[in-house]
Amino acid sequence: MLPTDGVISFPGQTWEKVLSKVKKAVVFMDDRCSESLHWNGGAALLFEAGARNIKQFSSFEAGGQNEPKAVFVVSTVLKGRTADIIKDIISLSHFQYCVVFTTVPHSIHLLANNVTTDLEGKPVFEQFEEKLCEWMGDMNYTAEVMHAPVVFAPLTQQLHLLPAFSELFPLLEVDLEAINKKRPEKKRFGSLMDVDMHSVPPELQIQIKSLASTLNTLFEFIGTREESFSVGPMSRLIAGELASHPQAKNRRKSAPNKASIVFIDRTLDLTGAVGHHGDSLVEKILSVLPQLPGHVTDIQVDMLELTHLKQTTDTKDILAPGCLAQNQSATARLLWETMLVAKQKEAVMEVRRQLVEAASKENLPIKMSLGRVTAEQLCSYVQLFRDSWGALESHSGVLQLGLAAAQALRHPALPRWDACLAFERLLLQALGDSDLADVLKQLLPLIKSSESGTGSDSGDLSVDDLLVLLVYVYSVAKEACPGGADEEKRVEKVENELIGALTLRLTRQTSLSPLLQEITEVSGPEELTVEHAHSVLENVFERLRGVSRARDHLKNFSSVYTPSDGAHQATYRPLLKQVLEEIFHPDRRECPDIEHMSGGLTDLLKTGFSMFMKVTRPHPSDHPLLFLFLVGGVTPSELRLIREVVSTHKSSPQVLLMSTRLLRPSDVPHLLFSTDRLKPDIGV
């Protein structure tokens, strides 16, 4: 089996262990594992394997009177809150047989229980089995606890997400301050690049070690020896952990295949993550349609147009929503891949083509029309299927994707997408001509223009949009206007004005968006005092300053900004593109920003010998397969960018992409301003 085929089949393979145990069982699953299952075939997989029912992993759920078997699938450590929920479910049920799967390996459970030595067997899992029997009420009942790395969500053959790590995000300067506070004066770190694994909180250590272990399992499955590289401080920790993974040493001795894996921190380029510049249909679908409950990536498609029901309050929740994950049909899967990487115009044309083809196959009375594709036209094609149950069933995947495209194209929030794009372009040009203080001043009228409005569907920008714009400016500002001490004072003065204007705007909101509820930690405007809003916004700006300094340690990749030269406008230069072009450069130059991580003594010896003789260091383009791992998320526009760079360098390795999530612009303020990056939720 080729390594690339192995990568494609691996996510499905990880579920086999779970499927072998679900016969006649009620399955309780947490959101992160559900999302992985969703992209691997969905609930149908469990029902085909004999599961009786699937329920949410929650203390409010239980098995029925005549359901003696339960299977739990969780992405967390089996202690604390996770153990309490399992206990609650069992105590409300009548189980005699319980199986628990966790995506966290036993070795990391030892760490979570402060056991540093490697013990014989799997004592933590064995102890938990005893607890399960206790909770079931009879020590003779059957309990099994095991590890299954069901964390991969294959969005396409080239892109795998890991929903279990969707909240893992690179650290900022404020996090460095928090780490340093707990260290003696003389041992404080000068920069995030100096931080090591032992100095971060146990929760983050567990997340990073779980991720390294998961990747090790993948490389084991595809029989591959990897060379690890990193760009950025968080990537350095993960790559170092993978390189020194205890179970990897034997694999690396005998593995027949070779690959490189390059980890890249998202914080080094947030301009691309929050920008509305991407000419991508999927970016718009993800941004304007509601998310599937409990999911980070997928959205809800309203299926009402496939029926003759009228849109009323009674019919609102009558139909289960459609979604983007189409695993059943090869045609729908190919259409989804095209939508994900093509430009918007091509993607919309392909959606129309597939709908026309499906209608022709079913002999439906389709009226062909050329020219621009509209949302109304796509809907009229979809509606042709509603009177034929067979046709509807055969093409349901393509119909769901067609409806997703149509609903995004006619969504009332779309004008705001264009408004944000226009402001970003203006700000990018202004950064070349003015200093940061003047550019930030241009945001003041935007904040004040609609202080009472929420900006929800009108062209006015909401507070959420303004936070996204601020991230855009700060992520690109440092290189565009490298000011001195006087400039810093001017920037500080404007920042205080912005904080004042935003505080006023926040306290005048009639309702708070989910993002603002997270950031302020209050559920409604009536609970938000001026003092609290002001202090929240001061924290926001502290993080924004950290964003502007995220590339300070880089030599070659220190800028994502190309200034105007009179003939051409100022442009954004994606960091990902710079990294790939460096990797594929025909001269195979050594790049100081792409650090090779090795856990072996041989590498130390090589470094010693290289003082006396010429030793070539490993290079990311050495092997036929290159994994890119974006820590903190990737955007659909970046998928296209990778494809374009790879096709330009025809002799380059094959590139496969992995990331923690598929980003929409609004995800970034959530990850920056309301996530505890040092203490991710590990279920304890």
Side-chain angles (χ1 to χ4, degrees):
M1 176 172 67
L2 288 169
T4 42
D5 296 339
V7 174
I8 293 163
S9 60
F10 179 68
Q13 201 71 32
T14 60
W15 281 97
E16 289 300 321
K17 203 172 177 182
V18 176
L19 296 176
S20 69
K21 293 284 181 184
V22 299
K23 197 168 184 185
K24 294 185 178 174
V26 189
V27 181
F28 298 89
M29 197 179 295
D30 71 16
D31 286 348
R32 292 159 174 184
C33 292
S34 301
E35 187 157 10
S36 164
L37 179 70
H38 178 71
W39 290 94
N40 277 292
L45 276 187
L46 296 179
F47 289 126
E48 282 160 18
R52 281 191 179 183
N53 203 346
I54 303 167
K55 296 190 176 190
Q56 197 175 7
F57 182 66
S58 154
S59 295
F60 301 103
E61 292 288 358
Q65 186 78 41
N66 58 346
E67 293 175 324
K69 182 181 175 186
V71 172
F72 297 89
V73 189
V74 296
S75 59
T76 46
V77 175
L78 301 177
K79 56 183 290 197
R81 193 178 76 240
T82 304
D84 291 344
I85 295 172
I86 293 175
K87 183 183 178 182
D88 291 345
I89 293 170
I90 292 174
S91 58
L92 292 169
S93 311
H94 302 82
F95 300 134
Q96 296 170 20
Y97 180 7
C98 280
V99 187
V100 175
F101 288 100
T102 168
T103 64
V104 182
H106 185 267
S107 57
I108 294 164
H109 274 82
L110 289 174
L111 173 76
N113 288 287
N114 301 318
V115 180
T116 46
T117 49
D118 218 1
L119 302 173
E120 284 292 301
K122 295 191 173 166
V124 180
F125 286 178
E126 286 156 18
Q127 280 171 12
F128 202 76
E129 286 172 356
E130 285 178 20
K131 278 186 185 171
L132 291 171
C133 291
E134 252 174 64
W135 298 335
M136 285 189 281
D138 190 331
M139 296 312 281
N140 294 320
Y141 284 166
T142 312
E144 293 174 82
V145 176
M146 56 195 101
H147 162 60
V150 288
V151 297
F152 285 91
L155 264 71
T156 71
Q157 294 190 344
Q158 277 77 39
L159 170 66
H160 287 61
L161 298 184
L162 290 84
F165 302 96
S166 58
E167 297 292 296
L168 184 67
F169 201 69
L171 304 177
L172 294 169
E173 276 186 1
V174 285
D175 304 311
L176 178 66
E177 285 164 27
I179 292 169
N180 277 336
K181 260 183 200 163
K182 297 186 175 171
R183 297 176 69 80
E185 193 88 30
K186 287 180 182 173
K187 290 191 174 176
R188 290 190 174 167
F189 298 115
S191 91
L192 282 167
M193 284 302 280
D194 304 328
V195 174
D196 56 33
M197 264 301 266
H198 305 294
S199 53
V200 300
E203 294 89 338
L204 185 54
Q205 286 189 40
I206 284 168
Q207 273 278 59
I208 291 173
K209 284 177 183 284
S210 298
L211 176 54
S213 168
T214 298
L215 294 172
N216 175 62
T217 315
L218 166 67
F219 289 129
E220 217 160 74
F221 181 77
I222 61 174
T224 296
R225 174 196 168 156
E226 84 292 350
E227 294 284 358
S228 299
F229 300 85
S230 68
V231 184
M234 178 68 95
S235 290
R236 194 170 189 268
L237 293 178
I238 300 167
E241 195 54 42
L242 177 61
S244 58
H245 194 277
Q247 275 106 43
K249 296 202 170 75
N250 290 336
R251 163 173 62 79
R252 291 199 191 103
K253 282 176 197 160
S254 56
N257 307 305
K258 288 184 174 180
S260 300
I261 180 163
V262 181
F263 295 90
I264 302 171
D265 279 11
R266 178 75 262 176
T267 40
L268 302 177
D269 178 5
L270 288 175
T271 315
V274 293
H276 296 71
H277 48 79
D279 182 16
S280 162
L281 176 63
V282 171
E283 270 176 15
K284 289 177 183 171
I285 290 173
L286 294 176
S287 292
V288 298
L289 296 188
Q291 276 177 271
L292 263 184
H295 286 243
V296 175
T297 300
D298 213 341
I299 49 89
Q300 301 181 55
V301 180
D302 186 349
M303 304 294 278
L304 207 63
E305 284 168 87
L306 283 172
T307 70
H308 287 285
L309 294 167
K310 293 279 175 281
Q311 190 98 42
T312 65
T313 43
D314 299 337
T315 58
K316 196 172 180 298
D317 298 316
I318 205 167
L319 289 176
C323 63
L324 300 173
Q326 300 302 330
N327 318 81
Q328 312 306 320
S329 130
T331 316
R333 213 167 33 241
L334 280 170
L335 175 58
W336 160 244
E337 294 203 11
T338 306
M339 287 166 69
L340 199 53
V341 294
K343 290 190 172 176
Q344 180 171 322
K345 190 178 174 184
E346 295 156 21
V348 172
M349 300 270 282
E350 185 58 19
V351 171
R352 176 170 71 181
R353 195 181 72 77
Q354 291 291 356
L355 287 171
V356 168
E357 213 163 278
S360 308
K361 268 186 196 162
E362 302 293 339
N363 297 322
L364 297 170
I366 194 149
K367 285 194 184 108
M368 277 301 294
S369 57
L370 298 166
R372 199 169 140 263
V373 186
T374 63
E376 288 64 37
Q377 189 187 74
L378 295 178
C379 285
S380 69
Y381 290 167
V382 166
Q383 286 167 358
L384 293 171
F385 290 81
R386 60 187 177 189
D387 292 319
S388 163
W389 180 250
L392 225 161
E393 201 174 9
S394 304
H395 304 283
S396 78
V398 169
L399 293 172
Q400 286 174 64
L401 293 171
L403 277 174
Q407 285 163 21
L409 290 174
R410 66 171 185 220
H411 199 279
L414 219 50
R416 266 171 50 237
W417 179 283
D418 297 329
C420 288
L421 173 60
F423 283 123
E424 284 160 11
R425 283 183 177 157
L426 280 172
L427 293 167
L428 202 58
Q429 300 317 313
L431 282 165
D433 308 327
S434 334
D435 55 23
L436 180 57
D438 288 337
V439 173
L440 290 173
K441 266 186 192 161
Q442 297 190 21
L443 292 171
L444 276 167
L446 289 183
I447 297 169
K448 292 173 178 172
S449 67
S450 53
E451 278 175 0
S452 57
T454 54
S456 53
D457 287 337
S458 62
D460 286 336
L461 297 188
S462 65
V463 177
D464 293 22
D465 295 327
L466 291 163
L467 290 174
V468 166
L469 269 181
L470 281 164
V471 175
Y472 186 89
V473 174
Y474 276 85
S475 178
V476 82
K478 194 78 184 282
E479 310 77 72
C481 14
D486 290 347
E487 160 69 354
E488 270 183 36
K489 280 182 188 160
R490 288 187 62 230
V491 169
E492 203 175 315
K493 186 170 176 283
V494 180
E495 282 177 350
N496 288 331
E497 284 180 54
L498 286 168
I499 291 171
L502 279 165
T503 302
L504 194 61
R505 175 86 186 259
L506 258 185
T507 48
R508 287 184 178 177
Q509 296 283 292
T510 48
S511 63
L512 295 181
S513 69
L515 174 68
L516 293 177
Q517 287 178 32
E518 278 177 8
I519 296 174
T520 57
E521 295 180 339
V522 300
S523 55
E526 60 286 344
E527 299 169 54
L528 191 61
T529 63
V530 172
E531 292 77 17
H532 181 55
H534 197 272
S535 116
V536 163
L537 287 162
E538 281 180 331
N539 288 337
V540 162
F541 275 84
E542 192 180 0
R543 282 157 179 74
L544 287 169
R545 284 177 219 117
V547 165
S548 74
R549 292 191 278 267
R551 287 186 295 275
D552 279 3
H553 65 282
L554 296 173
K555 294 177 177 67
N556 293 20
F557 307 139
S558 60
S559 172
V560 293
Y561 179 80
T562 307
S564 161
D565 59 2
H568 305 97
Q569 287 194 320
T571 52
Y572 153 65
R573 290 168 58 215
L575 179 101
L576 193 54
K577 188 175 185 182
Q578 295 181 49
V579 172
L580 282 173
E581 287 183 338
E582 189 62 45
I583 290 172
F584 299 147
H585 197 283
D587 298 347
R588 296 181 78 253
R589 302 179 297 207
E590 205 168 291
C591 176
D593 296 336
I594 304 175
E595 189 180 356
H596 177 244
M597 306 299 293
S598 166
L601 178 67
T602 45
D603 215 63
L604 291 172
L605 291 172
K606 270 186 206 169
T607 316
F609 284 132
S610 65
M611 291 163 73
F612 309 105
M613 53 193 282
K614 193 167 170 35
V615 173
T616 53
R617 284 183 174 280
H619 191 273
S621 65
D622 283 345
H623 307 307
L625 190 55
L626 170 66
F627 288 93
L628 282 181
F629 194 111
L630 273 97
V631 182
V634 65
T635 68
S637 294
E638 287 168 335
L639 301 179
R640 184 166 73 240
L641 182 145
I642 293 167
R643 188 171 276 206
E644 285 165 1
V645 175
V646 171
S647 65
T648 334
H649 298 80
K650 292 187 174 61
S651 59
S652 56
Q654 184 172 359
V655 177
L656 295 176
L657 185 63
M658 288 193 267
S659 189
T660 46
R661 63 198 292 155
L662 194 61
L663 284 170
R664 30 174 91 66
S666 59
D667 289 340
V668 176
H670 157 74
L671 292 161
L672 280 178
F673 308 132
S674 72
T675 309
D676 191 342
R677 289 171 297 279
L678 282 171
K679 292 184 179 173
D681 181 7
I682 53 166
V684 173

